[in-house]
Amino acid sequence: MKKIISLLVLLINLTVMAQKECEYSSNVTDSLGTYKSTKDYMMHERVFAGNQTLIYFSLINADGLLSLGVQIIQKSEGFVKANCFDKNSKIYLQLANGKIISLIGIELDTCGNAFRVDNTNSRILSGYFLFVKDSFEDLKKSPISLMRIKFGTETVDYVIKEKLTSEVDKNTYFPENYFINYLKCIE
């Protein structure tokens, strides 16, 4: 009997330790309402031949409206091509179970901000996407395998890794399980 109880205590401890902690960049409740936003989380990194592309996600709950914040950072010694979000922009997430989840862009036309620092051209593009009704259950259960972003003028596919050790910030991320680990933080 003691062995069974010890085993159960061990399993409960492992389950609690395996759950991801919710970390917020904003968590405000005031007379205007509530707003929660998780910290930015790296979903994709490409560093090659002096060029960098970084994609970060954050989850947002603004008075019960759940959305995904996307930030794309590009750096290059050469020209940085402008990709823009517009009213037709979407994000498609292909899950490991074969389902495809669509997120709809909030109607805001933006091509981001371009700037130059120390002979490096940079562009930061931010956008917000709404979850389609009834997509949460699939996102909570199945890892992401592929992400397709439909910009204003083109569509780009990104393979989502199980584990990503960033060359830029040296942290380790688990992008394929992002929604499994963090959707609970904004519900």
Side-chain angles (χ1 to χ4, degrees):
M1 185 66 171
K2 286 183 180 181
K3 288 183 181 181
I4 293 173
I5 292 173
S6 296
L7 182 60
L8 284 174
V9 169
L10 177 64
L11 288 174
I12 291 170
N13 286 338
L14 287 174
T15 302
V16 169
M17 290 171 54
Q19 293 178 352
K20 300 293 181 188
E21 228 17 73
C22 294
E23 295 182 43
Y24 299 99
S25 60
S26 295
N27 190 357
V28 179
T29 300
D30 60 17
S31 62
L32 299 175
T34 60
Y35 181 85
K36 276 185 188 180
S37 177
T38 60
K39 287 188 174 184
D40 289 340
Y41 192 89
M42 187 179 290
M43 294 298 292
H44 174 79
E45 176 185 73
R46 182 174 186 265
V47 179
F48 182 74
N51 298 313
Q52 291 181 11
T53 301
L54 311 170
I55 300 177
Y56 292 90
F57 278 5
S58 63
L59 294 166
I60 300 164
N61 183 336
D63 291 327
L65 182 64
L66 307 179
S67 60
L68 177 70
V70 177
Q71 186 174 70
I72 301 172
I73 302 170
Q74 297 171 287
K75 296 181 181 181
S76 176
E77 292 175 6
F79 178 74
V80 177
K81 179 180 161 192
N83 282 322
C84 303
F85 290 135
D86 65 14
K87 64 181 181 180
N88 297 315
S89 292
K90 292 183 179 165
I91 292 181
Y92 302 98
L93 302 171
Q94 183 172 352
L95 306 182
N97 66 10
K99 292 188 179 180
I100 296 176
I101 304 296
S102 300
L103 288 86
I104 300 167
I106 294 176
E107 292 189 26
L108 182 65
D109 292 354
T110 180
C111 294
N113 297 315
F115 54 94
R116 186 169 173 83
V117 177
D118 298 329
N119 294 326
T120 301
N121 296 311
S122 300
R123 181 175 297 278
I124 298 176
L125 174 64
S126 297
Y128 300 93
F129 295 81
L130 297 173
F131 291 96
V132 175
K133 186 179 178 184
D134 300 327
S135 62
F136 289 109
E137 291 310 311
D138 288 321
L139 287 170
K140 287 180 192 176
K141 294 176 186 173
S142 184
I144 308 165
S145 59
L146 184 71
M147 172 175 58
R148 174 173 285 172
I149 300 179
K150 183 181 181 298
F151 295 100
T153 57
E154 71 174 320
T155 300
V156 180
D157 291 339
Y158 302 92
V159 174
I160 302 298
K161 296 181 180 179
E162 177 182 356
K163 181 179 179 181
L164 169 64
T165 301
S166 172
E167 292 181 43
V168 175
D169 68 13
K170 308 300 183 215
N171 290 323
T172 300
Y173 300 91
F174 300 92
E176 77 171 11
N177 289 317
Y178 177 72
F179 293 105
I180 293 170
N181 292 333
Y182 296 106
L183 263 178
K184 68 179 190 280
C185 299
I186 61 162
E187 290 188 297

